[in-house]
Amino acid sequence: QSVLTQPPSVSAAPGQTVTISCSGSDSNIGALFVSWYQQFPGAAPKLLIYENNKRPSGIPDRFSGSKSGTSATLAITGLQTGDEADYYCETWDTSLRGGPAVFGGGTHLTVL
Amino acid sequence: EVQLVQSGTEVKKPGESLKISCKASGYTFNRYWIGWVRQRPGKGLEWMGIVYPEISETRYSPSFQGHVTVSVDNSNRTAFLQWSGLQASDSAIYYCARVEDGFNSRTSHWGHGTLVTVSS
């Protein structure tokens, strides 16, 4: 059971916008940065968002992140069938004595 | 270019020991935290432990403390994950991953994963 809570699945049609939530507490999301990862079947995770809302080079601006209090959100606009994947939030926790980080349980995105 | 190249698929019996590896290149190995993430079949990602190569300082998630050992060989730029007595529940893909800037930072680079199957 992860300390970060994500919905198990979300779905939306191509072209629409979808949001994925990640809920934590004062000791993790409330105090520290959140990152988001995309994982396709059989592949390693890939960094999508870091420091709550920054994108690494090469990540389209269709992907955005935000944080408010003890929750974070990943938004994907202009959905494409190729976005169908698992998405994970990650942060650290001040109660874990310096690490490692923790992941949310993951959310499977279906593009209908 | 940062690369993390992991050792190959392992098939083991319960109770056996195992050490898998992750060879790093393209950056100053001993200045970045590096560690291991477990993914059981059909399940999510779990951080297991990390190590800072320069001083071999390790930190473990509570769920994995005492069950595995994370270590490094600085001369060969390689990180290791080790078990002394495997269980069927250790069957998973294990990813080697590098943390960008230490505490409160992102996991910026990933290996391709090592599949470990434990079965009698």
Side-chain angles (χ1 to χ4, degrees):
Chain A
Q1 195 78 3
S2 176
V3 298
L4 305 178
T5 301
Q6 296 182 233
S9 63
V10 296
S11 61
Q16 291 190 332
T17 295
V18 70
T19 60
I20 297 172
S21 61
C22 177
S23 178
S25 67
D26 290 336
S27 65
N28 44 64
I29 293 180
L32 302 166
F33 288 134
V34 177
S35 303
W36 289 90
Y37 301 85
Q38 176 189 59
Q39 186 183 33
F40 294 108
K46 174 183 175 181
L47 179 65
L48 278 183
I49 298 290
Y50 68 100
E51 292 181 6
N52 304 330
N53 55 19
K54 297 178 181 177
R55 285 185 307 276
S57 60
I59 300 300
D61 59 7
R62 300 188 299 107
F63 296 89
S64 64
S66 62
K67 190 181 92 166
S68 178
T70 59
S71 292
T73 301
L74 173 69
I76 310 172
T77 61
L79 269 176
Q80 301 174 2
T81 55
D83 296 330
E84 188 160 301
D86 294 324
Y87 293 84
Y88 295 88
C89 60
E90 180 202 47
T91 188
W92 297 68
D93 198 304
T94 58
S95 67
L96 290 181
R97 299 178 129 186
V102 292
F103 288 105
T107 298
H108 182 71
L109 167 63
T110 300
V111 181
L112 303 167
Chain B
E1 178 196 3
V2 174
Q3 287 194 321
L4 301 174
V5 178
Q6 298 186 226
S7 51
T9 297
E10 300 277 359
V11 179
K12 292 289 189 178
K13 290 181 167 43
E16 291 186 333
S17 61
L18 176 63
K19 192 173 187 178
I20 61 175
S21 65
C22 169
K23 188 169 179 62
S25 62
Y27 71 96
T28 304
F29 178 70
N30 62 355
R31 295 297 182 90
Y32 290 84
W33 289 88
I34 188 168
W36 296 90
V37 173
R38 183 176 77 177
Q39 187 167 40
R40 285 172 164 161
K43 301 298 184 183
L45 305 171
E46 302 172 272
W47 266 110
M48 302 173 70
I50 52 176
V51 57
Y52 192 70
E54 188 172 49
I55 54 174
S56 289
E57 179 177 345
T58 55
R59 296 174 183 167
Y60 294 92
S61 294
S63 298
F64 294 95
Q65 178 81 50
H67 296 287
V68 296
T69 301
V70 175
S71 61
V72 290
D73 176 347
N74 281 313
S75 61
N76 287 303
R77 304 169 58 84
T78 301
F80 300 97
L81 176 64
Q82 184 173 3
W83 296 260
S84 59
L86 285 161
Q87 302 174 11
S89 57
D90 294 317
S91 296
I93 294 174
Y94 293 89
Y95 292 102
C96 167
R98 194 196 87 172
V99 179
E100 187 62 21
D101 288 319
F103 184 78
N104 200 25
S105 184
R106 59 201 177 274
T107 308
S108 55
H109 296 87
W110 296 76
H112 52 80
T114 295
L115 174 63
V116 174
T117 302
V118 183
S119 175
S120 54

